[in-house]
Amino acid sequence: MNALLVFAALFNRPNLVKVLIKYSSEPLLQALFAESLYHGLYRNVSHFAMSEVLQFTCNQFAQIATDLLDKAVTVSPIRGHGILTRRFPDFNNKTPLEIAYDTNNKQFVAHTNVQSWLDQYYFNFVKVKGAWDNLKLFLSAIFIFPMYIWLSFPRLRKVPPVPSRDDIPSQDGVFRPKSAQDAEKILAKVQRIQAGEQAADRSTEVVPRPPFMEMLRAVWAAPAVRFYTWHMFYWMFLILICVDIMLPPCRFIGVDIAVFVLTISMWCEIVLRTVYDMQRFRRVHWVERSYDLISQTVFNILFFLYRIAPYRYDHPFAGRVILAFGIVYYCYRVWGWFYYMDKTIGPLIRVTVQMFRLDLSRWIVLIAPFLISTSLIFMGVINPDWPATGDDWRHAFYRGIFNLFGAFNNELEYTPACENPGTKVSPNSYLPSAPNGNRWIHKNRTGLADGQPDYRCWSGDYNNYNCATISFWSYFFVIQYYVFLKLGMGNMLTAFYVYVTF
């Protein structure tokens, strides 16, 4: 059957595919398989008209699969939900839900019953009472005892034994209780159901709780608990790496080693997850996965060379710039790794990414001629006698860009008091006394001077730490912050206010 379906799809015989699905023993699975075939065909066809026809056929089979699921759940809810997780050896031991996800079948995945099942699977089929279900489940996993108050485990309840032949005295197929007491209980339950008092029945029924270890294992096996646990540890890592960049260079190598160990662990986790997905023929977003692997590999190599190895003494400022890139990367990846999974923040992340990818690029193209011309005109008219030393271009660029953002206008400007010859740091001269009267001396882990020159780990261009070090990287990190703040998050906040108002 599968070979015939592949033959019909490759020769573009959609009516034959529908006939094969109709007479198949698993029509839902075959419809998803046909949709996946046409999905791969229309994405790899160069002819535009043929691609449109194949995409239309692909959407037809996606609708057929969704209708079959809807009918299956309507006729038999148990079997309809069970087929979503049933694995088929002919399809790399995948489930219908995995096949739909691999082909990006949004219509099937967005089905009400599929979303209901995914919500239950997210909590490992553990029911949480009241609101704040994610927080309650996570706190129950951490503190254990709240699960006796907030959680119930319907899947861990023991199924009552099936009545044996001894419980059925007659052989006419009618169940008869053993005693009059059992008969009264059954009649009372029937009367309550007929009166519509199912809630009263549940409240009076005492359901024994599963064993403690089974409940604890079920809570920690929930994807929601593991997700928020990893989220919590990731924020601890972000705090550590942010503290690392605030510490003086070359003097707290233990913090650098801790950061390096954690980043290597995350790199190993991504590599193992990629190998695991490839072995099981799972869908992998190669663009995003390659970006993570390449970024973390380059960062780990440079971080080890410039922050841990003895080479860090020769280029302390380079080590600080590399660490700054790491902070930008790991902090921004919170969007893709954690926020994207949230039901309320996830759609906003998608809208923001589309806004930066499409709208911002178009806006930059539109404003570029106006920005460049106006910045140079301001410099040539307001400061007509500025010497042509190269700093005039920097000043013009600085004035145009930062006036666009409405930012502070003196953060990256040179301070005349810092330009004195005695304030500049050079490798051939020792640093003068610090403002508090104590010389800056490089020390080892015990706090004693290790004989290194004073300037060995001084990162800035001036011996006074109040003077700003102006470099290309200073402009880069400041501008990327304002791009996200002024051109992205500020506009998003305005859109939220307008949406709430109207």
Side-chain angles (χ1 to χ4, degrees), residues 130-143:
W132 303 93
D133 45 3
N134 291 283
L135 180 60
K136 289 182 178 179
L137 185 64
F138 180 71
L139 293 178
S140 299
I142 298 296
F143 298 105

Side-chain angles (χ1 to χ4, degrees), residues 142-212:
I142 298 296
F143 298 105
I144 299 177
F145 293 104
M147 66 182 178
Y148 286 94
I149 304 173
W150 293 331
L151 308 182
S152 60
F153 304 85
R155 284 210 167 189
L156 297 181
R157 293 177 182 175
K158 295 183 179 180
V159 179
V162 179
S164 61
R165 292 185 178 273
D166 298 336
D167 298 329
I168 307 177
S170 62
Q171 300 299 326
D172 55 359
V174 179
F175 173 75
R176 292 185 174 85
K178 287 184 177 181
S179 60
Q181 186 178 4
D182 294 339
E184 292 178 357
K185 289 182 179 180
I186 294 174
L187 290 175
K189 186 172 183 178
V190 171
Q191 291 176 358
R192 288 196 299 270
I193 293 176
Q194 291 177 349
E197 297 179 0
Q198 293 87 348
D201 176 67
R202 289 194 298 267
S203 62
T204 56
E205 182 181 3
V206 179
V207 179
R209 282 190 172 273
F212 172 76

Side-chain angles (χ1 to χ4, degrees), residues 200-308:
D201 176 67
R202 289 194 298 267
S203 62
T204 56
E205 182 181 3
V206 179
V207 179
R209 282 190 172 273
F212 172 76
M213 291 306 300
E214 292 186 9
M215 292 192 299
L216 188 62
R217 193 180 301 112
V219 171
W220 276 103
V225 174
R226 289 179 288 178
F227 173 76
Y228 282 103
T229 302
W230 166 229
H231 195 177
M232 180 183 67
F233 281 106
Y234 190 81
W235 275 105
M236 293 181 180
F237 161 74
L238 292 181
I239 293 174
L240 179 64
I241 195 173
C242 291
V243 169
D244 191 15
I245 200 171
M246 297 299 294
L247 296 175
C250 302
R251 305 177 68 183
F252 296 90
I253 190 173
V255 181
D256 293 329
I257 293 176
V259 171
F260 180 73
V261 170
L262 293 176
T263 53
I264 286 293
S265 301
M266 286 186 282
W267 179 84
C268 293
E269 189 269 336
I270 294 179
V271 172
L272 294 176
R273 177 153 42 95
T274 304
V275 174
Y276 182 85
D277 293 339
M278 293 177 61
Q279 290 178 348
R280 285 156 180 79
F281 302 98
R282 291 183 174 180
R283 178 187 175 189
V284 179
H285 298 277
W286 283 111
V287 175
E288 182 179 358
R289 192 69 60 86
S290 301
Y291 168 72
D292 290 331
L293 287 174
I294 295 174
S295 300
Q296 294 193 27
T297 302
V298 174
F299 171 76
N300 288 327
I301 294 174
L302 296 179
F303 185 84
F304 178 80
L305 293 176
Y306 285 90
R307 298 287 296 187
I308 297 179

Side-chain angles (χ1 to χ4, degrees), residues 413-425 461-470:
E413 281 288 357
Y414 287 104
T415 305
C418 295
E419 298 301 317
N420 297 326
T423 312
K424 283 280 190 177
V425 174
D461 294 337
Y462 310 94
N463 57 22
N464 186 358
Y465 53 78
N466 291 316
C467 297
T469 299
I470 310 301

